[in-house]
Each structure stands twice: as C-alpha cells, then as structure tokens.
C-alpha cells in the first residue's frame, strides 16, 4: 500500500477519531501526518485541494482523497486483518453507526457553539443559537447515560466516536459539568481514557 | 419487517435522500411518514425522543432509532434484494461514500448559510461566516464539474446525494447561479431530475 497522507490538527476531535482508528488497526506507521490549522472563516488552501468542503480530517490515498471522518475510518478499517471496528452487518453494525452519528452529532453542535462563542465577533453572537446547540449536546449525553450498556464490550467506531466527543467537551467546554448527572457515562469514560490510543491523542493544552 | 416510521420534512434535503433511497429500493410502502417542522432554535419534542441530536431524518425501526441520513440510507439499502446503492466493497464503495460526503458537506454549508441569512436576527449576522460557507458550496460545485465522470453510470448513494444537494440550491439559493460556469454538472442534473423518485420528492414551493 502506498503511503497515505492525513490532514489533521491535534485539536480536531474528528481527526482524533481517525488517529485512534489508525492506531487500533496498526496502520498509523503507514500514514504521513500533515498538521494544519483552519476555521470556517480562515480556510487552508492545501486542505481545500484534497477536500472541497475545506474540512479536516482528509485522507489522501493513491488516486483518491477521502473525507469525512466516518468514510476515512471505515476505509482504514478495511485495510487491516484484525478485528473490525465497523461490524460488517446485522444489528451490531447499525448500533455502532448510530452511536457514531450520536457522537458526531454532539461534536457538530459543540463546534458550532464554540465558533459562536469564540470565533464570531462578540456583538454578533446569538444566545438562542448557543442554547439550541447546548441542548443537542445535553440530549446526546442523557441518551448515552440511559443506554450505557450500548457502550460496553470491545471498541467499535461507535465507542471511539463517543470517546472523542467526551474528550472534546473536557478540552473546550471545561465549565460544562457533563459528569454530574451522568455517573455511568463518567465511569465508562474514565476507564476508556486509559486505552493507549486514546491517551496518545489527547488534545494539547491551550 | 415491522412498519418503519420516518420523521422528515418535505423541505429537508437530507430527508429527501432517504425518501429517494426508499423509492429506489421499493421500501417506501413499508414506511410511515411523519411530517415535522423544526430548526436549531425551535426543536421538536417528538423528534428529540427518536434522535437526541434533534435533527431529521430519523428512522424508527423495531427496537432502534436510526440517524443520520447516511446511516438510514445504508440501513434501507440492506433491506432489499435489488441492486445496491451502497457498493459493498472496493474502490466503488469509497467513490460513492466520498461523493455522498461531498454532497452532504455542500448541504451542511448551505444550511448554515441559510440559518445565518434567514433565521438569525439581522443585526447578528456575520458576513464572513456566510462567505466561508458559500466558498465551501462553490468548492464542491467546482470539484463536481471537474470530475463529472464520477457521476456517470447507475445511481449510487453518491449520485443521489448530489441530486439532493443541487436540488436544495435550486430551492433555497435561487439567486446563486451555480450552473453558469458548470455546464457539465448542469446537464447531468437536468437528466437526473427526470428520474421518478427525484421528481416525486422535489421540495414544495414556499
């Protein structure tokens, strides 16, 4: 396999999903990492060349550029011989993909809240928007607490996505106490955080 | 198979993907359609019960609620015996999933631009934000024009997603002439728009 190139940032939670999957599938040595910085109002020309949506992560493989994170993760999961992180079929697959969608949905809301509160000029911020996004974040957290059994067992793309989502809250929403009313989720995350691939990809301090 | 329930809106381009897939896989008769209205600042309690991210489409199947549109579409594609819209493996699969990610990426940007320009109070709008989202839209359109051959051939989840993305531009961005500099894409879309499932799901006039 030709060397792959991953456009990422150490603080991107979506790129963290890919980096964890790369380590879990032992493909990390075959990936050249390209560290880039961008926001929706300050794009990166190099990233734009590989992903017209202008977002990271983007994976450049021989002859094709892949995005977004679910596509890259599934692609990597098809390039190794170990246990699959994307269950191939049946209910396990839908449970894992649904969990990924929940975690990515939390992240989409968290990023929008972050852009609203930090990127946008102060006088143009709209509290209702931030409130709406925070409601989505809390909705997902409550659902995860209620169905904690879904998270048990060996890692899947679903549990990896949840780890990256919770890790992002700890990184960028330190004042949002998500653990208080969700002891089961907090306990699960504390255990999951000890995994080497999770520890190796913790976002750097600001 | 138990009756499925789809939470959708006639104007949602993501729900349109699911409705086209349902018709193409002849599963539409087995789906009860629940028409709902919501925005990021005015959620819908019924939708929240089935999708904690608070978005449509959401598909309620026996014992599990599925979202977002890529997950629902792949699920439906696994419930029929006809030709697959999600190629099972190999390069065809990555081409189709990448195309879906491009089209959904265009839509994510278009929805954010729409919320910025119509939902947000006028004095809180940020032109740089809208400009950044429009750049993503144009970036995807240019990429599709440049790689028009990717769109040729039988429908896949990739081409269906592109149809919904272009259809949304015609619905909500009438003043954005996306066809002018992209004659190949315009021609492709004109032909694709004649498909019965595409015609049956055109968003209603405002």
């Amino acid at each position: 396999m030709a060397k792959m190139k991953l456009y990422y940032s150490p603080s991107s939670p979506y790129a963290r999903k890919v980096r964890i999957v790369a380590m879990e599938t032992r493909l990390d040595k075959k990936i050249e990492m390209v560290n880039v910085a961008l926001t929706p109002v300050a794009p990166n020309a190099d990233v734009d060349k590989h992903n017209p949506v202008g977002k990271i992560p983007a994976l450049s493989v021989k002859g094709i550029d892949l995005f977004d994170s679910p596509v890259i993760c599934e692609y990597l999961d098809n390039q190794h011989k170990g246990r699959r992180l994307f269950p191939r079929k049946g209910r396990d697959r839908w449970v894992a993909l649904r969990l990924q969608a929940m975690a990515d949905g939390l992240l989409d809301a968290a990023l929008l809240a972050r852009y609203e509160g930090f990127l946008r000029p102060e006088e143009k911020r709209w509290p209702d928007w931030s409130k709406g996004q925070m409601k989505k974040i809390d909705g997902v957290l409550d659902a995860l607490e209620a169905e904690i059994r879904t998270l048990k067992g060996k890692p899947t793309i679903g549990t990896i996505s949840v780890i990256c989502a919770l890790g992002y809250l700890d990184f960028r929403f330190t004042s949002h106490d998500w653990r208080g009313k969700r002891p089961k989720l907090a306990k699960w995350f504390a255990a999951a955080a000890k995994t080497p691939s999770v520890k190796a990809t913790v976002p750097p301090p600001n």
Side-chain angles (χ1 to χ4, degrees), chain A:
Chain A
M1 185 169 30
K3 188 103 177 173
M4 300 177 276
K5 216 183 239 194
L6 179 70
Y7 296 84
Y8 86 109
S9 133
S11 59
S12 162
Y14 308 102
R16 190 182 183 192
K17 289 171 59 187
V18 175
R19 291 157 68 210
I20 291 177
V21 166
M23 290 181 73
E24 292 295 327
T25 58
R26 297 168 190 251
L27 290 164
D28 49 319
K29 295 284 184 295
K30 298 190 176 167
I31 301 175
E32 183 188 335
M33 304 289 285
V34 186
N35 188 339
V36 293
L38 53 81
T39 75
V41 297
N44 178 295
D46 203 15
V47 170
D48 286 348
K49 259 181 244 164
H50 295 281
N51 176 1
V53 184
K55 290 181 180 174
I56 50 171
L59 183 77
S60 183
V61 206
K62 201 171 153 59
I64 192 167
D65 292 314
L66 295 177
F67 45 85
D68 50 0
S69 67
V71 178
I72 298 173
C73 290
E74 187 176 337
Y75 174 81
L76 292 178
D77 198 39
N78 272 264
Q79 310 302 317
H80 74 116
K81 302 261 185 246
R83 193 182 64 84
R84 292 293 176 113
L85 299 170
F86 285 71
R88 276 183 205 251
K89 52 183 180 175
R91 191 176 175 87
D92 286 353
R93 182 170 180 88
W94 313 121
V95 168
L97 293 184
R98 170 181 173 277
L99 209 50
Q100 176 177 227
M102 269 173 73
D104 287 358
L106 184 159
L107 280 177
D108 293 345
L111 267 288
L112 286 176
R114 168 96 186 151
Y115 293 141
E116 186 75 23
F118 286 84
L119 194 63
R120 184 178 290 262
E122 213 165 334
E123 72 281 8
K124 296 194 183 305
R125 294 175 192 165
W126 185 27
D128 287 0
W129 181 261
S130 301
K131 226 173 74 185
Q133 302 304 333
M134 293 311 292
K135 178 176 156 38
K136 291 175 192 291
I137 292 173
D138 285 330
V140 171
L141 291 168
D142 289 342
L144 292 172
E145 178 76 4
E147 55 176 89
I148 194 76
R149 63 183 166 71
T150 317
L151 299 176
K152 303 286 169 72
K154 300 206 166 157
T156 67
I157 189 57
T159 59
I160 290 170
S161 302
V162 172
I163 289 167
C164 295
L166 298 177
Y168 187 73
L169 294 182
D170 282 352
F171 177 48
R172 295 293 200 204
F173 291 79
T174 43
S175 65
H176 190 66
D177 171 30
W178 64 265
R179 288 173 176 82
K181 290 180 195 158
R182 300 170 192 108
K184 292 176 218 162
L185 187 60
K187 193 179 160 193
W188 176 84
F189 183 60
K194 290 174 188 158
T195 314
S197 59
V198 175
K199 283 167 83 171
T201 54
V202 169
N206 289 311

